[in-house]
Coordinates of all heavy atoms in Angstrom, one line a residue:
A13 N 0.8 -1.2 0.0 CA 0.0 0.0 0.0 C 0.9 1.3 0.0 O 0.5 2.3 -0.5 CB -0.9 0.0 1.2
K14 N 2.0 1.2 0.6 CA 2.9 2.4 0.7 C 3.8 2.6 -0.6 O 4.3 3.7 -0.8 CB 3.9 2.2 1.9 CG 3.1 2.3 3.2 CD 4.1 2.1 4.4 CE 3.3 2.2 5.7 NZ 4.2 1.9 6.8
L15 N 3.9 1.6 -1.4 CA 4.9 1.7 -2.5 C 4.5 2.8 -3.5 O 5.5 3.5 -3.9 CB 5.0 0.4 -3.3 CG 5.7 -0.7 -2.5 CD1 5.8 -2.0 -3.3 CD2 7.2 -0.3 -2.2
P16 N 3.3 3.1 -3.9 CA 3.0 4.2 -4.8 C 3.5 5.5 -4.2 O 4.1 6.4 -4.9 CB 1.5 4.2 -5.0 CG 1.1 2.8 -4.8 CD 2.1 2.3 -3.7
H17 N 3.3 5.7 -2.9 CA 3.7 7.0 -2.2 C 5.2 7.1 -2.2 O 5.8 8.1 -2.4 CB 3.1 7.1 -0.8 CG 3.5 8.4 -0.2 ND1 2.8 9.5 -0.4 CD2 4.5 8.7 0.7 CE1 3.4 10.5 0.3 NE2 4.4 10.0 1.0
I18 N 5.9 5.9 -1.9 CA 7.4 5.9 -1.8 C 7.9 6.3 -3.2 O 8.8 7.1 -3.3 CB 7.9 4.6 -1.3 CG1 7.5 4.4 0.2 CG2 9.4 4.5 -1.5 CD1 7.7 3.0 0.7
A19 N 7.4 5.6 -4.2 CA 7.9 5.9 -5.6 C 7.6 7.3 -6.0 O 8.5 8.0 -6.6 CB 7.2 4.9 -6.6
A20 N 6.4 7.8 -5.7 CA 6.1 9.2 -6.0 C 7.0 10.2 -5.2 O 7.4 11.2 -5.8 CB 4.6 9.5 -5.7
K21 N 7.3 9.9 -4.0 CA 8.2 10.8 -3.2 C 9.5 10.9 -3.8 O 10.1 12.0 -4.0 CB 8.3 10.3 -1.8 CG 9.0 11.2 -0.8 CD 8.3 12.6 -0.7 CE 9.1 13.5 0.3 NZ 8.6 14.8 0.2
I22 N 10.1 9.7 -4.2 CA 11.4 9.8 -4.9 C 11.3 10.6 -6.2 O 12.2 11.4 -6.5 CB 11.9 8.3 -5.2 CG1 12.2 7.6 -3.8 CG2 13.1 8.3 -6.1 CD1 12.3 6.1 -4.0
Y23 N 10.3 10.3 -7.0 CA 10.1 11.1 -8.3 C 10.0 12.6 -8.0 O 10.6 13.4 -8.7 CB 8.9 10.5 -9.0 CG 8.6 11.3 -10.3 CD1 9.3 11.0 -11.4 CD2 7.5 12.2 -10.3 CE1 9.0 11.7 -12.6 CE2 7.2 12.9 -11.4 CZ 8.0 12.6 -12.6 OH 7.7 13.3 -13.7
Q24 N 9.1 12.9 -7.1 CA 8.8 14.3 -6.8 C 10.1 15.0 -6.3 O 10.4 16.2 -6.6 CB 7.7 14.5 -5.8 CG 6.3 14.1 -6.3 CD 5.8 15.0 -7.5 OE1 6.3 16.1 -7.7 NE2 4.8 14.5 -8.2
N25 N 10.8 14.3 -5.4 CA 12.1 14.9 -4.9 C 13.1 15.1 -6.0 O 13.9 16.0 -5.9 CB 12.6 14.0 -3.8 CG 11.9 14.2 -2.5 OD1 11.0 15.0 -2.3 ND2 12.2 13.3 -1.5
T26 N 13.2 14.1 -6.9 CA 14.2 14.2 -7.9 C 13.9 15.1 -9.1 O 14.7 15.8 -9.6 CB 14.4 12.7 -8.5 OG1 14.7 11.9 -7.4 CG2 15.6 12.7 -9.5
Y27 N 12.6 15.1 -9.5 CA 12.3 15.8 -10.8 C 11.3 17.0 -10.6 O 11.1 17.7 -11.6 CB 11.7 14.8 -11.8 CG 12.7 13.7 -12.1 CD1 12.5 12.4 -11.7 CD2 13.8 14.0 -12.9 CE1 13.4 11.4 -12.0 CE2 14.7 13.0 -13.3 CZ 14.4 11.7 -12.8 OH 15.3 10.7 -13.1
K28 N 10.6 17.1 -9.5 CA 9.5 18.1 -9.4 C 9.8 19.0 -8.2 O 10.9 19.3 -7.8 CB 8.2 17.4 -9.4 CG 7.9 16.5 -10.6 CD 7.6 17.4 -11.8 CE 7.2 16.5 -13.0 NZ 6.8 17.3 -14.1
N29 N 8.7 19.3 -7.5 CA 8.7 20.3 -6.5 C 8.7 19.7 -5.0 O 8.5 20.4 -4.1 CB 7.4 21.2 -6.6 CG 6.2 20.4 -6.4 OD1 6.2 19.2 -6.1 ND2 5.0 21.0 -6.6
R30 N 9.0 18.4 -4.9 CA 9.2 17.7 -3.6 C 7.9 17.5 -2.9 O 7.8 17.1 -1.8 CB 10.2 18.4 -2.7 CG 11.5 18.7 -3.4 CD 12.5 19.3 -2.5 NE 12.9 18.5 -1.3 CZ 13.9 17.6 -1.3 NH1 14.5 17.3 -2.4 NH2 14.2 16.9 -0.3
V31 N 6.7 17.8 -3.5 CA 5.4 17.7 -2.9 C 4.7 16.5 -3.6 O 4.5 16.6 -4.8 CB 4.6 19.0 -3.0 CG1 3.2 18.8 -2.4 CG2 5.3 20.1 -2.3
V32 N 4.3 15.5 -2.8 CA 3.5 14.4 -3.4 C 2.0 14.8 -3.3 O 1.5 15.1 -2.2 CB 3.8 13.1 -2.6 CG1 2.9 12.0 -3.1 CG2 5.2 12.8 -2.7
P33 N 1.3 14.8 -4.4 CA -0.1 15.0 -4.4 C -0.9 14.0 -3.5 O -0.4 12.9 -3.3 CB -0.6 14.9 -5.9 CG 0.7 15.1 -6.7 CD 1.8 14.6 -5.8
S34 N -2.0 14.5 -3.0 CA -2.8 13.6 -2.1 C -3.2 12.4 -2.9 O -3.5 12.4 -4.1 CB -4.0 14.4 -1.6 OG -3.6 15.4 -0.8
P35 N -3.4 11.3 -2.2 CA -3.8 10.0 -2.8 C -5.3 10.2 -3.3 O -6.0 11.0 -2.8 CB -3.8 9.0 -1.7 CG -3.0 9.6 -0.6 CD -3.0 11.1 -0.8
A36 N -5.6 9.4 -4.3 CA -7.0 9.4 -4.8 C -7.8 8.3 -4.0 O -7.5 7.1 -4.2 CB -7.0 9.1 -6.3
P37 N -8.7 8.7 -3.2 CA -9.5 7.7 -2.4 C -10.2 6.7 -3.3 O -10.8 7.0 -4.3 CB -10.6 8.6 -1.7 CG -10.0 10.0 -1.7 CD -9.2 10.1 -3.0
G38 N -10.0 5.4 -2.9 CA -10.6 4.3 -3.6 C -10.0 4.0 -4.9 O -10.5 3.1 -5.6
A39 N -8.9 4.6 -5.3 CA -8.3 4.3 -6.6 C -7.5 3.1 -6.6 O -7.0 2.7 -5.5 CB -7.4 5.5 -7.1
D40 N -7.3 2.4 -7.7 CA -6.5 1.2 -7.8 C -5.0 1.6 -7.7 O -4.7 2.8 -7.8 CB -6.8 0.4 -9.1 CG -6.5 1.1 -10.3 OD1 -5.3 1.5 -10.6 OD2 -7.5 1.3 -11.1
W41 N -4.1 0.6 -7.7 CA -2.7 0.9 -7.5 C -2.1 1.7 -8.6 O -1.4 2.6 -8.4 CB -2.0 -0.5 -7.4 CG -0.9 -0.6 -6.4 CD1 -0.9 -0.1 -5.1 CD2 0.3 -1.2 -6.7 NE1 0.4 -0.4 -4.6 CE2 1.1 -1.1 -5.5 CE3 0.9 -1.8 -7.8 CZ2 2.4 -1.6 -5.4 CZ3 2.2 -2.4 -7.6 CH2 2.9 -2.2 -6.5
G42 N -2.5 1.4 -9.9 CA -1.9 2.2 -11.0 C -2.4 3.6 -11.0 O -1.6 4.5 -11.3
K43 N -3.7 3.8 -10.7 CA -4.2 5.2 -10.7 C -3.6 5.9 -9.5 O -3.2 7.1 -9.7 CB -5.8 5.1 -10.5 CG -6.4 6.4 -10.3 CD -6.6 7.2 -11.5 CE -7.4 8.5 -11.3 NZ -7.5 9.3 -12.4
Q44 N -3.4 5.3 -8.4 CA -2.8 5.9 -7.2 C -1.4 6.4 -7.6 O -1.0 7.5 -7.2 CB -2.7 4.9 -6.1 CG -2.7 5.4 -4.7 CD -3.9 6.2 -4.4 OE1 -3.9 7.4 -4.6 NE2 -4.9 5.5 -3.9
L45 N -0.6 5.5 -8.3 CA 0.7 5.9 -8.6 C 0.7 7.1 -9.6 O 1.4 8.1 -9.4 CB 1.5 4.7 -9.3 CG 2.9 5.0 -9.7 CD1 3.8 5.5 -8.5 CD2 3.5 3.7 -10.3
A46 N -0.2 7.1 -10.6 CA -0.3 8.2 -11.6 C -0.6 9.5 -10.9 O 0.1 10.5 -11.1 CB -1.3 7.8 -12.6
V47 N -1.6 9.4 -10.0 CA -2.0 10.7 -9.3 C -0.9 11.2 -8.4 O -0.6 12.4 -8.4 CB -3.3 10.4 -8.4 CG1 -3.5 11.5 -7.4 CG2 -4.5 10.2 -9.3
Q48 N -0.2 10.3 -7.7 CA 0.8 10.8 -6.8 C 2.1 11.2 -7.5 O 2.9 12.0 -7.0 CB 1.1 9.7 -5.7 CG -0.1 9.6 -4.8 CD 0.2 8.7 -3.6 OE1 0.9 7.7 -3.7 NE2 -0.3 9.2 -2.4
L49 N 2.3 10.7 -8.8 CA 3.4 11.2 -9.6 C 3.0 12.6 -10.1 O 3.9 13.3 -10.6 CB 3.7 10.3 -10.7 CG 4.4 8.9 -10.4 CD1 4.5 8.0 -11.6 CD2 5.7 9.2 -9.7
G50 N 1.8 13.0 -10.1 CA 1.3 14.3 -10.5 C 0.7 14.3 -11.9 O 0.6 15.4 -12.5
Y51 N 0.2 13.1 -12.4 CA -0.4 13.1 -13.7 C -1.8 12.6 -13.6 O -2.1 11.7 -12.8 CB 0.4 12.1 -14.6 CG 1.8 12.5 -14.8 CD1 2.8 12.0 -14.0 CD2 2.1 13.3 -15.9 CE1 4.1 12.4 -14.2 CE2 3.4 13.8 -16.1 CZ 4.4 13.3 -15.3 OH 5.7 13.7 -15.5
D52 N -2.7 13.3 -14.3 CA -4.1 12.9 -14.2 C -4.8 12.4 -15.5 O -6.0 12.3 -15.5 CB -4.9 14.1 -13.6 CG -4.9 15.3 -14.4 OD1 -4.3 15.3 -15.5 OD2 -5.5 16.3 -14.0
S53 N -4.0 12.2 -16.5 CA -4.6 11.8 -17.8 C -4.9 10.3 -17.7 O -4.2 9.5 -17.1 CB -3.7 12.1 -19.0 OG -2.6 11.2 -19.0
Q54 N -6.0 9.9 -18.4 CA -6.4 8.5 -18.5 C -5.2 7.7 -19.2 O -5.0 6.5 -18.8 CB -7.7 8.3 -19.3 CG -8.2 6.9 -19.4 CD -8.5 6.3 -18.0 OE1 -8.8 7.0 -17.0 NE2 -8.3 5.0 -17.9
E55 N -4.6 8.3 -20.2 CA -3.5 7.6 -20.9 C -2.4 7.2 -20.0 O -1.8 6.1 -20.0 CB -3.0 8.4 -22.1 CG -4.0 8.6 -23.2 CD -5.0 9.7 -23.0 OE1 -4.8 10.5 -22.0 OE2 -6.0 9.8 -23.7
F56 N -2.0 8.2 -19.1 CA -0.9 7.9 -18.2 C -1.3 6.9 -17.2 O -0.4 6.1 -16.8 CB -0.4 9.2 -17.5 CG 0.9 9.1 -16.8 CD1 2.1 9.1 -17.5 CD2 0.9 8.8 -15.4 CE1 3.3 8.9 -16.8 CE2 2.1 8.6 -14.8 CZ 3.3 8.7 -15.5
T57 N -2.5 7.0 -16.7 CA -3.0 6.0 -15.8 C -2.9 4.6 -16.4 O -2.4 3.6 -15.7 CB -4.4 6.3 -15.3 OG1 -4.4 7.6 -14.6 CG2 -5.0 5.2 -14.4

């Protein structure tokens, strides 16, 4: 359950603004990762 947030934190710290977007309640693992990486398109999900 923590892996999407951990991956997103590493990504945000390395390439973006160091802020991980809030999780998407009820989203599956892939959607959760996409959202926390900062992408909201269906294609990226």
